[in-house]
PDB file of all heavy atoms in Angstrom:
ATOM      1  N   LYS A   1      31.016 -31.069-110.620  1.00  0.00           N
ATOM      2  CA  LYS A   1      30.862 -29.627-110.477  1.00  0.00           C
ATOM      3  C   LYS A   1      32.183 -28.885-110.661  1.00  0.00           C
ATOM      4  O   LYS A   1      32.201 -27.689-110.883  1.00  0.00           O
ATOM      5  CB  LYS A   1      30.276 -29.281-109.110  1.00  0.00           C
ATOM      6  CG  LYS A   1      31.199 -29.600-107.942  1.00  0.00           C
ATOM      7  CD  LYS A   1      30.606 -29.174-106.610  1.00  0.00           C
ATOM      8  CE  LYS A   1      31.566 -29.446-105.454  1.00  0.00           C
ATOM      9  NZ  LYS A   1      31.033 -28.994-104.166  1.00  0.00           N
ATOM     10  N   LEU A   2      33.316 -29.619-110.532  1.00  0.00           N
ATOM     11  CA  LEU A   2      34.607 -28.965-110.631  1.00  0.00           C
ATOM     12  C   LEU A   2      35.222 -29.079-112.025  1.00  0.00           C
ATOM     13  O   LEU A   2      36.303 -28.584-112.257  1.00  0.00           O
ATOM     14  CB  LEU A   2      35.572 -29.536-109.591  1.00  0.00           C
ATOM     15  CG  LEU A   2      35.294 -29.091-108.152  1.00  0.00           C
ATOM     16  CD1 LEU A   2      36.185 -29.833-107.183  1.00  0.00           C
ATOM     17  CD2 LEU A   2      35.508 -27.591-108.013  1.00  0.00           C
ATOM     18  N   PHE A   3      34.556 -29.743-112.927  1.00  0.00           N
ATOM     19  CA  PHE A   3      35.052 -29.731-114.287  1.00  0.00           C
ATOM     20  C   PHE A   3      34.801 -28.348-114.888  1.00  0.00           C
ATOM     21  O   PHE A   3      33.838 -27.668-114.518  1.00  0.00           O
ATOM     22  CB  PHE A   3      34.353 -30.801-115.131  1.00  0.00           C
ATOM     23  CG  PHE A   3      34.909 -32.175-114.898  1.00  0.00           C
ATOM     24  CD1 PHE A   3      34.191 -33.143-114.231  1.00  0.00           C
ATOM     25  CD2 PHE A   3      36.173 -32.492-115.365  1.00  0.00           C
ATOM     26  CE1 PHE A   3      34.710 -34.407-114.018  1.00  0.00           C
ATOM     27  CE2 PHE A   3      36.702 -33.759-115.167  1.00  0.00           C
ATOM     28  CZ  PHE A   3      35.972 -34.719-114.487  1.00  0.00           C
ATOM     29  N   PRO A   4      35.643 -27.915-115.816  1.00  0.00           N
ATOM     30  CA  PRO A   4      35.390 -26.609-116.425  1.00  0.00           C
ATOM     31  C   PRO A   4      34.056 -26.595-117.146  1.00  0.00           C
ATOM     32  O   PRO A   4      33.606 -27.603-117.687  1.00  0.00           O
ATOM     33  CB  PRO A   4      36.555 -26.441-117.407  1.00  0.00           C
ATOM     34  CG  PRO A   4      37.099 -27.816-117.613  1.00  0.00           C
ATOM     35  CD  PRO A   4      36.853 -28.551-116.335  1.00  0.00           C
ATOM     36  N   GLY A   5      33.445 -25.442-117.135  1.00  0.00           N
ATOM     37  CA  GLY A   5      32.163 -25.288-117.804  1.00  0.00           C
ATOM     38  C   GLY A   5      32.344 -25.148-119.298  1.00  0.00           C
ATOM     39  O   GLY A   5      33.466 -25.177-119.815  1.00  0.00           O
ATOM     40  N   PRO A   6      31.259 -24.997-120.019  1.00  0.00           N
ATOM     41  CA  PRO A   6      31.355 -24.804-121.475  1.00  0.00           C
ATOM     42  C   PRO A   6      32.048 -23.495-121.790  1.00  0.00           C
ATOM     43  O   PRO A   6      31.948 -22.518-121.035  1.00  0.00           O
ATOM     44  CB  PRO A   6      29.887 -24.780-121.917  1.00  0.00           C
ATOM     45  CG  PRO A   6      29.126 -24.371-120.699  1.00  0.00           C
ATOM     46  CD  PRO A   6      29.862 -24.955-119.538  1.00  0.00           C
ATOM     47  N   ILE A   7      32.782 -23.478-122.887  1.00  0.00           N
ATOM     48  CA  ILE A   7      33.497 -22.264-123.275  1.00  0.00           C
ATOM     49  C   ILE A   7      32.512 -21.314-123.955  1.00  0.00           C
ATOM     50  O   ILE A   7      32.022 -21.587-125.049  1.00  0.00           O
ATOM     51  CB  ILE A   7      34.682 -22.595-124.189  1.00  0.00           C
ATOM     52  CG1 ILE A   7      35.735 -23.394-123.415  1.00  0.00           C
ATOM     53  CG2 ILE A   7      35.299 -21.321-124.760  1.00  0.00           C
ATOM     54  CD1 ILE A   7      36.966 -23.753-124.214  1.00  0.00           C
ATOM     55  N   VAL A   8      32.225 -20.250-123.265  1.00  0.00           N
ATOM     56  CA  VAL A   8      31.323 -19.218-123.784  1.00  0.00           C
ATOM     57  C   VAL A   8      32.117 -17.917-123.827  1.00  0.00           C
ATOM     58  O   VAL A   8      32.521 -17.395-122.783  1.00  0.00           O
ATOM     59  CB  VAL A   8      30.080 -19.043-122.893  1.00  0.00           C
ATOM     60  CG1 VAL A   8      29.184 -17.943-123.445  1.00  0.00           C
ATOM     61  CG2 VAL A   8      29.318 -20.359-122.771  1.00  0.00           C
ATOM     62  N   PRO A   9      32.402 -17.384-125.008  1.00  0.00           N
ATOM     63  CA  PRO A   9      33.204 -16.162-125.092  1.00  0.00           C
ATOM     64  C   PRO A   9      32.634 -15.032-124.230  1.00  0.00           C
ATOM     65  O   PRO A   9      31.428 -14.778-124.253  1.00  0.00           O
ATOM     66  CB  PRO A   9      33.159 -15.812-126.582  1.00  0.00           C
ATOM     67  CG  PRO A   9      32.919 -17.120-127.269  1.00  0.00           C
ATOM     68  CD  PRO A   9      32.023 -17.891-126.345  1.00  0.00           C
ATOM     69  N   VAL A  10      33.516 -14.389-123.453  1.00  0.00           N
ATOM     70  CA  VAL A  10      33.129 -13.248-122.622  1.00  0.00           C
ATOM     71  C   VAL A  10      33.763 -12.017-123.241  1.00  0.00           C
ATOM     72  O   VAL A  10      34.968 -11.792-123.103  1.00  0.00           O
ATOM     73  CB  VAL A  10      33.601 -13.429-121.164  1.00  0.00           C
ATOM     74  CG1 VAL A  10      33.134 -12.255-120.310  1.00  0.00           C
ATOM     75  CG2 VAL A  10      33.090 -14.746-120.596  1.00  0.00           C
ATOM     76  N   ARG A  11      32.956 -11.235-123.951  1.00  0.00           N
ATOM     77  CA  ARG A  11      33.488 -10.098-124.698  1.00  0.00           C
ATOM     78  C   ARG A  11      32.947  -8.756-124.220  1.00  0.00           C
ATOM     79  O   ARG A  11      33.546  -7.729-124.494  1.00  0.00           O
ATOM     80  CB  ARG A  11      33.168 -10.241-126.190  1.00  0.00           C
ATOM     81  CG  ARG A  11      33.798 -11.457-126.841  1.00  0.00           C
ATOM     82  CD  ARG A  11      35.315 -11.287-126.976  1.00  0.00           C
ATOM     83  NE  ARG A  11      35.871 -12.418-127.702  1.00  0.00           N
ATOM     84  CZ  ARG A  11      36.243 -13.548-127.135  1.00  0.00           C
ATOM     85  NH1 ARG A  11      36.128 -13.685-125.814  1.00  0.00           N
ATOM     86  NH2 ARG A  11      36.747 -14.539-127.836  1.00  0.00           N
ATOM     87  N   ASP A  12      31.828  -8.748-123.557  1.00  0.00           N
ATOM     88  CA  ASP A  12      31.258  -7.493-123.076  1.00  0.00           C
ATOM     89  C   ASP A  12      32.115  -6.954-121.935  1.00  0.00           C
ATOM     90  O   ASP A  12      32.362  -7.666-120.956  1.00  0.00           O
ATOM     91  CB  ASP A  12      29.826  -7.722-122.588  1.00  0.00           C
ATOM     92  CG  ASP A  12      29.230  -6.459-122.001  1.00  0.00           C
ATOM     93  OD1 ASP A  12      29.084  -5.477-122.745  1.00  0.00           O
ATOM     94  OD2 ASP A  12      28.934  -6.443-120.783  1.00  0.00           O
ATOM     95  N   PRO A  13      32.604  -5.712-122.024  1.00  0.00           N
ATOM     96  CA  PRO A  13      33.470  -5.185-120.965  1.00  0.00           C
ATOM     97  C   PRO A  13      32.855  -5.262-119.579  1.00  0.00           C
ATOM     98  O   PRO A  13      33.549  -5.582-118.606  1.00  0.00           O
ATOM     99  CB  PRO A  13      33.704  -3.731-121.403  1.00  0.00           C
ATOM    100  CG  PRO A  13      33.575  -3.765-122.893  1.00  0.00           C
ATOM    101  CD  PRO A  13      32.496  -4.778-123.169  1.00  0.00           C
ATOM    102  N   ALA A  14      31.560  -4.989-119.463  1.00  0.00           N
ATOM    103  CA  ALA A  14      30.907  -5.050-118.150  1.00  0.00           C
ATOM    104  C   ALA A  14      30.882  -6.477-117.622  1.00  0.00           C
ATOM    105  O   ALA A  14      31.069  -6.714-116.416  1.00  0.00           O
ATOM    106  CB  ALA A  14      29.484  -4.491-118.244  1.00  0.00           C
ATOM    107  N   ALA A  15      30.666  -7.452-118.509  1.00  0.00           N
ATOM    108  CA  ALA A  15      30.658  -8.853-118.084  1.00  0.00           C
ATOM    109  C   ALA A  15      32.052  -9.295-117.655  1.00  0.00           C
ATOM    110  O   ALA A  15      32.200 -10.083-116.703  1.00  0.00           O
ATOM    111  CB  ALA A  15      30.145  -9.734-119.218  1.00  0.00           C
ATOM    112  N   ILE A  16      33.075  -8.788-118.321  1.00  0.00           N
ATOM    113  CA  ILE A  16      34.442  -9.114-117.929  1.00  0.00           C
ATOM    114  C   ILE A  16      34.727  -8.580-116.535  1.00  0.00           C
ATOM    115  O   ILE A  16      35.283  -9.281-115.673  1.00  0.00           O
ATOM    116  CB  ILE A  16      35.445  -8.546-118.952  1.00  0.00           C
ATOM    117  CG1 ILE A  16      35.300  -9.284-120.289  1.00  0.00           C
ATOM    118  CG2 ILE A  16      36.877  -8.660-118.432  1.00  0.00           C
ATOM    119  CD1 ILE A  16      36.136  -8.699-121.418  1.00  0.00           C
ATOM    120  N   VAL A  17      34.338  -7.338-116.269  1.00  0.00           N
ATOM    121  CA  VAL A  17      34.558  -6.758-114.946  1.00  0.00           C
ATOM    122  C   VAL A  17      33.811  -7.552-113.881  1.00  0.00           C
ATOM    123  O   VAL A  17      34.340  -7.822-112.797  1.00  0.00           O
ATOM    124  CB  VAL A  17      34.137  -5.275-114.926  1.00  0.00           C
ATOM    125  CG1 VAL A  17      34.169  -4.726-113.499  1.00  0.00           C
ATOM    126  CG2 VAL A  17      35.052  -4.449-115.822  1.00  0.00           C
ATOM    127  N   ALA A  18      32.590  -7.953-114.171  1.00  0.00           N
ATOM    128  CA  ALA A  18      31.811  -8.729-113.206  1.00  0.00           C
ATOM    129  C   ALA A  18      32.501 -10.055-112.882  1.00  0.00           C
ATOM    130  O   ALA A  18      32.541 -10.487-111.721  1.00  0.00           O
ATOM    131  CB  ALA A  18      30.402  -8.972-113.740  1.00  0.00           C
ATOM    132  N   LEU A  19      33.067 -10.701-113.902  1.00  0.00           N
ATOM    133  CA  LEU A  19      33.782 -11.958-113.684  1.00  0.00           C
ATOM    134  C   LEU A  19      35.044 -11.720-112.848  1.00  0.00           C
ATOM    135  O   LEU A  19      35.350 -12.485-111.923  1.00  0.00           O
ATOM    136  CB  LEU A  19      34.148 -12.582-115.028  1.00  0.00           C
ATOM    137  CG  LEU A  19      34.983 -13.866-114.988  1.00  0.00           C
ATOM    138  CD1 LEU A  19      34.265 -14.964-114.214  1.00  0.00           C
ATOM    139  CD2 LEU A  19      35.318 -14.329-116.410  1.00  0.00           C
ATOM    140  N   LEU A  20      35.751 -10.666-113.154  1.00  0.00           N
ATOM    141  CA  LEU A  20      36.961 -10.341-112.394  1.00  0.00           C
ATOM    142  C   LEU A  20      36.621 -10.048-110.943  1.00  0.00           C
ATOM    143  O   LEU A  20      37.344 -10.465-110.022  1.00  0.00           O
ATOM    144  CB  LEU A  20      37.678  -9.148-113.028  1.00  0.00           C
ATOM    145  CG  LEU A  20      38.219  -9.357-114.445  1.00  0.00           C
ATOM    146  CD1 LEU A  20      38.826  -8.067-114.979  1.00  0.00           C
ATOM    147  CD2 LEU A  20      39.239 -10.483-114.479  1.00  0.00           C
ATOM    148  N   GLU A  21      35.550  -9.339-110.704  1.00  0.00           N
ATOM    149  CA  GLU A  21      35.148  -9.037-109.331  1.00  0.00           C
ATOM    150  C   GLU A  21      34.795 -10.319-108.571  1.00  0.00           C
ATOM    151  O   GLU A  21      35.107 -10.456-107.388  1.00  0.00           O
ATOM    152  CB  GLU A  21      33.961  -8.075-109.333  1.00  0.00           C
ATOM    153  CG  GLU A  21      34.333  -6.658-109.772  1.00  0.00           C
ATOM    154  CD  GLU A  21      33.129  -5.739-109.883  1.00  0.00           C
ATOM    155  OE1 GLU A  21      31.982  -6.256-109.957  1.00  0.00           O
ATOM    156  OE2 GLU A  21      33.319  -4.507-109.905  1.00  0.00           O
ATOM    157  N   ARG A  22      34.166 -11.267-109.263  1.00  0.00           N
ATOM    158  CA  ARG A  22      33.799 -12.526-108.606  1.00  0.00           C
ATOM    159  C   ARG A  22      35.050 -13.289-108.178  1.00  0.00           C
ATOM    160  O   ARG A  22      35.115 -13.811-107.061  1.00  0.00           O
ATOM    161  CB  ARG A  22      32.953 -13.369-109.571  1.00  0.00           C
ATOM    162  CG  ARG A  22      32.565 -14.733-109.058  1.00  0.00           C
ATOM    163  CD  ARG A  22      31.239 -15.194-109.652  1.00  0.00           C
ATOM    164  NE  ARG A  22      31.203 -15.113-111.091  1.00  0.00           N
ATOM    165  CZ  ARG A  22      31.435 -16.138-111.935  1.00  0.00           C
ATOM    166  NH1 ARG A  22      31.733 -17.330-111.444  1.00  0.00           N
ATOM    167  NH2 ARG A  22      31.334 -15.983-113.239  1.00  0.00           N
ATOM    168  N   VAL A  23      36.049 -13.341-109.044  1.00  0.00           N
ATOM    169  CA  VAL A  23      37.294 -14.033-108.710  1.00  0.00           C
ATOM    170  C   VAL A  23      38.037 -13.282-107.607  1.00  0.00           C
ATOM    171  O   VAL A  23      38.559 -13.888-106.660  1.00  0.00           O
ATOM    172  CB  VAL A  23      38.174 -14.189-109.962  1.00  0.00           C
ATOM    173  CG1 VAL A  23      39.549 -14.748-109.593  1.00  0.00           C
ATOM    174  CG2 VAL A  23      37.487 -15.092-110.980  1.00  0.00           C
ATOM    175  N   ALA A  24      38.103 -11.954-107.702  1.00  0.00           N
ATOM    176  CA  ALA A  24      38.808 -11.158-106.697  1.00  0.00           C
ATOM    177  C   ALA A  24      38.141 -11.288-105.331  1.00  0.00           C
ATOM    178  O   ALA A  24      38.825 -11.424-104.301  1.00  0.00           O
ATOM    179  CB  ALA A  24      38.848  -9.692-107.127  1.00  0.00           C
ATOM    180  N   ASP A  25      36.827 -11.266-105.291  1.00  0.00           N
ATOM    181  CA  ASP A  25      36.110 -11.394-104.020  1.00  0.00           C
ATOM    182  C   ASP A  25      36.378 -12.757-103.393  1.00  0.00           C
ATOM    183  O   ASP A  25      36.584 -12.863-102.179  1.00  0.00           O
ATOM    184  CB  ASP A  25      34.606 -11.194-104.220  1.00  0.00           C
ATOM    185  CG  ASP A  25      34.244  -9.768-104.590  1.00  0.00           C
ATOM    186  OD1 ASP A  25      35.089  -8.873-104.383  1.00  0.00           O
ATOM    187  OD2 ASP A  25      33.124  -9.542-105.088  1.00  0.00           O
ATOM    188  N   TRP A  26      36.361 -13.803-104.219  1.00  0.00           N
ATOM    189  CA  TRP A  26      36.633 -15.144-103.683  1.00  0.00           C
ATOM    190  C   TRP A  26      38.056 -15.208-103.136  1.00  0.00           C
ATOM    191  O   TRP A  26      38.294 -15.757-102.065  1.00  0.00           O
ATOM    192  CB  TRP A  26      36.445 -16.197-104.779  1.00  0.00           C
ATOM    193  CG  TRP A  26      36.593 -17.600-104.252  1.00  0.00           C
ATOM    194  CD1 TRP A  26      35.615 -18.404-103.753  1.00  0.00           C
ATOM    195  CD2 TRP A  26      37.817 -18.346-104.152  1.00  0.00           C
ATOM    196  NE1 TRP A  26      36.145 -19.603-103.357  1.00  0.00           N
ATOM    197  CE2 TRP A  26      37.493 -19.599-103.586  1.00  0.00           C
ATOM    198  CE3 TRP A  26      39.142 -18.082-104.495  1.00  0.00           C
ATOM    199  CZ2 TRP A  26      38.451 -20.584-103.356  1.00  0.00           C
ATOM    200  CZ3 TRP A  26      40.096 -19.068-104.254  1.00  0.00           C
ATOM    201  CH2 TRP A  26      39.752 -20.299-103.693  1.00  0.00           C
ATOM    202  N   GLN A  27      39.004 -14.624-103.869  1.00  0.00           N
ATOM    203  CA  GLN A  27      40.394 -14.710-103.450  1.00  0.00           C
ATOM    204  C   GLN A  27      40.645 -13.939-102.157  1.00  0.00           C
ATOM    205  O   GLN A  27      41.386 -14.395-101.284  1.00  0.00           O
ATOM    206  CB  GLN A  27      41.317 -14.192-104.553  1.00  0.00           C
ATOM    207  CG  GLN A  27      42.771 -14.564-104.339  1.00  0.00           C
ATOM    208  CD  GLN A  27      42.966 -16.070-104.260  1.00  0.00           C
ATOM    209  OE1 GLN A  27      42.770 -16.799-105.228  1.00  0.00           O
ATOM    210  NE2 GLN A  27      43.361 -16.561-103.093  1.00  0.00           N
ATOM    211  N   LEU A  28      40.034 -12.783-102.024  1.00  0.00           N
ATOM    212  CA  LEU A  28      40.227 -12.002-100.799  1.00  0.00           C
ATOM    213  C   LEU A  28      39.649 -12.725 -99.580  1.00  0.00           C
ATOM    214  O   LEU A  28      40.143 -12.557 -98.461  1.00  0.00           O
ATOM    215  CB  LEU A  28      39.579 -10.623-100.937  1.00  0.00           C
ATOM    216  CG  LEU A  28      40.319  -9.625-101.834  1.00  0.00           C
ATOM    217  CD1 LEU A  28      39.499  -8.341-101.981  1.00  0.00           C
ATOM    218  CD2 LEU A  28      41.702  -9.298-101.258  1.00  0.00           C
ATOM    219  N   ALA A  29      38.627 -13.530 -99.813  1.00  0.00           N
ATOM    220  CA  ALA A  29      38.004 -14.246 -98.698  1.00  0.00           C
ATOM    221  C   ALA A  29      38.679 -15.578 -98.404  1.00  0.00           C
ATOM    222  O   ALA A  29      38.404 -16.193 -97.369  1.00  0.00           O
ATOM    223  CB  ALA A  29      36.520 -14.489 -99.009  1.00  0.00           C
ATOM    224  N   TRP A  30      39.570 -16.020 -99.293  1.00  0.00           N
ATOM    225  CA  TRP A  30      40.215 -17.330 -99.131  1.00  0.00           C
ATOM    226  C   TRP A  30      41.259 -17.255 -98.031  1.00  0.00           C
ATOM    227  O   TRP A  30      42.169 -16.428 -98.086  1.00  0.00           O
ATOM    228  CB  TRP A  30      40.869 -17.739-100.452  1.00  0.00           C
ATOM    229  CG  TRP A  30      41.384 -19.148-100.491  1.00  0.00           C
ATOM    230  CD1 TRP A  30      40.689 -20.276-100.203  1.00  0.00           C
ATOM    231  CD2 TRP A  30      42.704 -19.574-100.865  1.00  0.00           C
ATOM    232  NE1 TRP A  30      41.481 -21.383-100.389  1.00  0.00           N
ATOM    233  CE2 TRP A  30      42.722 -20.990-100.788  1.00  0.00           C
ATOM    234  CE3 TRP A  30      43.863 -18.901-101.268  1.00  0.00           C
ATOM    235  CZ2 TRP A  30      43.859 -21.747-101.096  1.00  0.00           C
ATOM    236  CZ3 TRP A  30      44.980 -19.651-101.565  1.00  0.00           C
ATOM    237  CH2 TRP A  30      44.982 -21.042-101.481  1.00  0.00           C
ATOM    238  N   PRO A  31      41.186 -18.107 -97.001  1.00  0.00           N
ATOM    239  CA  PRO A  31      42.169 -18.043 -95.917  1.00  0.00           C
ATOM    240  C   PRO A  31      43.535 -18.527 -96.387  1.00  0.00           C
ATOM    241  O   PRO A  31      43.646 -19.598 -96.984  1.00  0.00           O
ATOM    242  CB  PRO A  31      41.575 -18.978 -94.857  1.00  0.00           C
ATOM    243  CG  PRO A  31      40.702 -19.924 -95.615  1.00  0.00           C
ATOM    244  CD  PRO A  31      40.159 -19.143 -96.769  1.00  0.00           C
ATOM    245  N   ASP A  32      44.543 -17.744 -96.149  1.00  0.00           N
ATOM    246  CA  ASP A  32      45.902 -18.090 -96.568  1.00  0.00           C
ATOM    247  C   ASP A  32      46.816 -17.831 -95.382  1.00  0.00           C
ATOM    248  O   ASP A  32      46.955 -16.680 -94.930  1.00  0.00           O
ATOM    249  CB  ASP A  32      46.317 -17.242 -97.769  1.00  0.00           C
ATOM    250  CG  ASP A  32      47.560 -17.792 -98.471  1.00  0.00           C
ATOM    251  OD1 ASP A  32      48.394 -18.415 -97.786  1.00  0.00           O
ATOM    252  OD2 ASP A  32      47.691 -17.595 -99.681  1.00  0.00           O
ATOM    253  N   LYS A  33      47.454 -18.867 -94.862  1.00  0.00           N
ATOM    254  CA  LYS A  33      48.265 -18.743 -93.650  1.00  0.00           C
ATOM    255  C   LYS A  33      49.724 -18.402 -93.936  1.00  0.00           C
ATOM    256  O   LYS A  33      50.504 -18.242 -92.991  1.00  0.00           O
ATOM    257  CB  LYS A  33      48.180 -20.047 -92.841  1.00  0.00           C
ATOM    258  CG  LYS A  33      46.774 -20.341 -92.325  1.00  0.00           C
ATOM    259  CD  LYS A  33      46.736 -21.603 -91.476  1.00  0.00           C
ATOM    260  CE  LYS A  33      45.325 -21.858 -90.956  1.00  0.00           C
ATOM    261  NZ  LYS A  33      45.256 -23.089 -90.125  1.00  0.00           N
ATOM    262  N   ARG A  34      50.101 -18.293 -95.195  1.00  0.00           N
ATOM    263  CA  ARG A  34      51.477 -17.896 -95.490  1.00  0.00           C
ATOM    264  C   ARG A  34      51.687 -16.429 -95.142  1.00  0.00           C
ATOM    265  O   ARG A  34      50.739 -15.653 -95.112  1.00  0.00           O
ATOM    266  CB  ARG A  34      51.780 -18.139 -96.970  1.00  0.00           C
ATOM    267  CG  ARG A  34      51.887 -19.624 -97.324  1.00  0.00           C
ATOM    268  CD  ARG A  34      51.908 -19.867 -98.809  1.00  0.00           C
ATOM    269  NE  ARG A  34      50.645 -19.550 -99.430  1.00  0.00           N
ATOM    270  CZ  ARG A  34      50.228 -20.086-100.571  1.00  0.00           C
ATOM    271  NH1 ARG A  34      50.968 -20.973-101.201  1.00  0.00           N
ATOM    272  NH2 ARG A  34      49.065 -19.747-101.095  1.00  0.00           N
ATOM    273  N   ARG A  35      52.932 -16.066 -94.890  1.00  0.00           N
ATOM    274  CA  ARG A  35      53.192 -14.678 -94.518  1.00  0.00           C
ATOM    275  C   ARG A  35      52.722 -13.741 -95.622  1.00  0.00           C
ATOM    276  O   ARG A  35      52.743 -14.081 -96.804  1.00  0.00           O
ATOM    277  CB  ARG A  35      54.664 -14.455 -94.186  1.00  0.00           C
ATOM    278  CG  ARG A  35      55.637 -14.784 -95.293  1.00  0.00           C
ATOM    279  CD  ARG A  35      57.079 -14.555 -94.827  1.00  0.00           C
ATOM    280  NE  ARG A  35      58.045 -15.143 -95.726  1.00  0.00           N
ATOM    281  CZ  ARG A  35      58.499 -14.580 -96.829  1.00  0.00           C
ATOM    282  NH1 ARG A  35      58.067 -13.375 -97.177  1.00  0.00           N
ATOM    283  NH2 ARG A  35      59.389 -15.190 -97.584  1.00  0.00           N
ATOM    284  N   ALA A  36      52.343 -12.547 -95.230  1.00  0.00           N
ATOM    285  CA  ALA A  36      51.692 -11.619 -96.153  1.00  0.00           C
ATOM    286  C   ALA A  36      52.604 -11.137 -97.264  1.00  0.00           C
ATOM    287  O   ALA A  36      52.117 -10.626 -98.276  1.00  0.00           O
ATOM    288  CB  ALA A  36      51.131 -10.425 -95.384  1.00  0.00           C
ATOM    289  N   THR A  37      53.919 -11.264 -97.115  1.00  0.00           N
ATOM    290  CA  THR A  37      54.843 -10.839 -98.163  1.00  0.00           C
ATOM    291  C   THR A  37      55.275 -12.001 -99.052  1.00  0.00           C
ATOM    292  O   THR A  37      56.118 -11.814 -99.936  1.00  0.00           O
ATOM    293  CB  THR A  37      56.097 -10.186 -97.553  1.00  0.00           C
ATOM    294  OG1 THR A  37      56.708 -11.109 -96.639  1.00  0.00           O
ATOM    295  CG2 THR A  37      55.742  -8.903 -96.820  1.00  0.00           C
ATOM    296  N   HIS A  38      54.726 -13.182 -98.840  1.00  0.00           N
ATOM    297  CA  HIS A  38      55.122 -14.352 -99.625  1.00  0.00           C
ATOM    298  C   HIS A  38      54.783 -14.131-101.099  1.00  0.00           C
ATOM    299  O   HIS A  38      53.759 -13.537-101.431  1.00  0.00           O
ATOM    300  CB  HIS A  38      54.392 -15.592 -99.102  1.00  0.00           C
ATOM    301  CG  HIS A  38      54.987 -16.886 -99.553  1.00  0.00           C
ATOM    302  ND1 HIS A  38      54.581 -17.535-100.703  1.00  0.00           N
ATOM    303  CD2 HIS A  38      55.979 -17.651 -99.023  1.00  0.00           C
ATOM    304  CE1 HIS A  38      55.277 -18.646-100.847  1.00  0.00           C
ATOM    305  NE2 HIS A  38      56.133 -18.751 -99.843  1.00  0.00           N
ATOM    306  N   TRP A  39      55.615 -14.635-101.982  1.00  0.00           N
ATOM    307  CA  TRP A  39      55.437 -14.382-103.420  1.00  0.00           C
ATOM    308  C   TRP A  39      54.091 -14.873-103.935  1.00  0.00           C
ATOM    309  O   TRP A  39      53.534 -14.270-104.865  1.00  0.00           O
ATOM    310  CB  TRP A  39      56.565 -15.001-104.229  1.00  0.00           C
ATOM    311  CG  TRP A  39      56.589 -16.504-104.264  1.00  0.00           C
ATOM    312  CD1 TRP A  39      57.279 -17.342-103.444  1.00  0.00           C
ATOM    313  CD2 TRP A  39      55.860 -17.352-105.169  1.00  0.00           C
ATOM    314  NE1 TRP A  39      57.041 -18.656-103.768  1.00  0.00           N
ATOM    315  CE2 TRP A  39      56.170 -18.693-104.834  1.00  0.00           C
ATOM    316  CE3 TRP A  39      54.989 -17.116-106.233  1.00  0.00           C
ATOM    317  CZ2 TRP A  39      55.644 -19.794-105.507  1.00  0.00           C
ATOM    318  CZ3 TRP A  39      54.442 -18.204-106.913  1.00  0.00           C
ATOM    319  CH2 TRP A  39      54.767 -19.522-106.552  1.00  0.00           C
ATOM    320  N   THR A  40      53.587 -15.961-103.381  1.00  0.00           N
ATOM    321  CA  THR A  40      52.297 -16.467-103.842  1.00  0.00           C
ATOM    322  C   THR A  40      51.202 -15.443-103.607  1.00  0.00           C
ATOM    323  O   THR A  40      50.416 -15.124-104.505  1.00  0.00           O
ATOM    324  CB  THR A  40      51.952 -17.773-103.115  1.00  0.00           C
ATOM    325  OG1 THR A  40      52.012 -17.556-101.700  1.00  0.00           O
ATOM    326  CG2 THR A  40      52.910 -18.892-103.494  1.00  0.00           C
ATOM    327  N   ARG A  41      51.162 -14.902-102.402  1.00  0.00           N
ATOM    328  CA  ARG A  41      50.143 -13.913-102.066  1.00  0.00           C
ATOM    329  C   ARG A  41      50.404 -12.589-102.791  1.00  0.00           C
ATOM    330  O   ARG A  41      49.465 -11.907-103.218  1.00  0.00           O
ATOM    331  CB  ARG A  41      50.104 -13.705-100.549  1.00  0.00           C
ATOM    332  CG  ARG A  41      49.750 -14.969 -99.775  1.00  0.00           C
ATOM    333  CD  ARG A  41      49.638 -14.725 -98.292  1.00  0.00           C
ATOM    334  NE  ARG A  41      48.478 -13.902 -97.979  1.00  0.00           N
ATOM    335  CZ  ARG A  41      48.128 -13.550 -96.744  1.00  0.00           C
ATOM    336  NH1 ARG A  41      48.860 -13.960 -95.710  1.00  0.00           N
ATOM    337  NH2 ARG A  41      47.070 -12.810 -96.524  1.00  0.00           N
TER     338      ARG A  41
END
């Protein structure tokens, strides 16, 4: 399940935004214990 999926071009602007929102939502929910000013965060 963790192997990359098939390469399917994402060209529709709305589909790109939807993908970005999915990644952003996951990242905001990911627990990160490093200080909030750390370069990674």
Side-chain angles (χ1 to χ4, degrees):
K1 67 177 182 178
L2 286 173
F3 281 109
I7 294 181
V8 179
V10 182
R11 297 289 185 273
D12 176 63
I16 292 174
V17 172
L19 176 59
L20 296 176
E21 289 175 342
R22 177 151 52 97
V23 173
D25 292 343
W26 185 90
Q27 194 59 66
L28 286 175
W30 189 53
D32 195 330
K33 296 183 179 180
R34 289 168 292 205
R35 59 182 167 83
T37 56
H38 196 269
W39 69 266
T40 54
R41 299 183 69 179

